[in-house]
Amino acid sequence: MKKKLSVSDRLKNAIRDVPDFPKPGILFKDITPVLRDPVLFRSAVDLLAQRHKNKKIRKVAVIDARGFLFGSALAYKLGAGVVPIRKKGKLPYKTYEESYNLEYGSATVTVHVDAFEKGEKVLLVDDLLAPGGTAAASARLIERAGGKVAEIDFLIELGFLEGRKKVRGYPVFSVIRF
């Protein structure tokens, strides 16, 4: 008798490896097979939502761009608002900015200054935890704008890149770990 796979194993098996993307030497984890499958996509969102159903999350902050996909669906399920965290120059109103270092330079993420009420519980969501710079900068932005990070959630974590070290001090959850 064949053993039934867990939801996280089915999600993990659906993620496609794309070698040398976006540059040579990178093994890209492609989530589009999960997104195109309604059962898998719903399962991923449901797994995340179950963790937070009684935690009174008021806002889900979503990191540009693939975090938008999971975080928006998650916010809907939780009855929470959605707050986009975007690259510098992409938001139309007054923003707070937070810069961070990359292996090849630096980047800046922004959030609207009025995105959060003082002390409200915020769930931060992205598709992937890699080195952790974007997530750490986003968490600092949330706090600077008045929110309180309840947890940082990811569909995928690349454990060998040790991104959890960058987001130390925040609760972190990932559905799948490579």
Side-chain angles (χ1 to χ4, degrees):
M1 183 172 195
K2 200 173 188 180
K3 183 182 173 193
K4 186 174 178 180
L5 292 175
S6 70
V7 174
S8 59
D9 284 339
R10 286 182 298 170
L11 289 164
K12 189 173 191 175
N13 288 343
I15 293 166
R16 175 175 36 212
D17 288 341
V18 180
D20 299 320
F21 182 82
K23 62 183 186 176
I26 303 290
L27 182 62
F28 186 81
K29 297 294 186 187
D30 181 11
I31 63 168
T32 58
V34 172
L35 297 172
R36 73 175 178 227
D37 182 314
V39 173
L40 287 176
F41 180 64
R42 184 179 307 114
S43 296
V45 173
D46 287 348
L47 271 174
L48 294 169
Q50 288 168 6
R51 296 184 54 74
H52 302 286
K53 68 179 178 183
N54 295 316
K55 294 185 181 174
K56 296 183 168 94
I57 299 295
R58 296 276 301 136
K59 302 270 175 57
V60 176
V62 294
I63 298 176
D64 194 351
R66 290 180 302 268
F68 291 4
L69 302 166
F70 292 99
S72 294
L74 183 54
Y76 176 80
K77 285 205 65 115
L78 295 175
V82 177
V83 175
I85 294 179
R86 303 214 52 201
K87 294 169 184 78
K88 187 175 179 173
K90 299 292 184 180
L91 290 173
Y93 186 61
K94 295 179 226 163
T95 60
Y96 291 119
E97 297 180 0
E98 191 72 38
S99 295
Y100 59 100
N101 292 324
L102 301 164
E103 60 191 81
Y104 49 84
S106 64
T108 302
V109 288
T110 63
V111 71
H112 282 145
V113 297
D114 61 353
F116 308 105
E117 300 294 324
K118 186 163 178 54
E120 76 181 338
K121 290 174 88 172
V122 179
L123 174 62
L124 178 58
V125 176
D126 202 1
D127 69 319
L128 177 79
L129 175 60
T134 306
S138 297
R140 290 190 302 269
L141 267 180
I142 290 166
E143 291 178 343
R144 194 164 156 208
K148 168 119 177 67
V149 177
E151 189 170 271
I152 308 173
D153 286 3
F154 303 92
L155 177 64
I156 302 168
E157 179 178 350
L158 301 179
F160 62 92
L161 292 176
E162 300 181 332
R164 283 183 186 247
K165 288 183 179 178
K166 283 257 176 69
V167 292
R168 190 172 288 143
Y170 299 101
V172 174
F173 174 76
S174 50
V175 174
I176 302 162
R177 210 175 147 126
F178 288 100

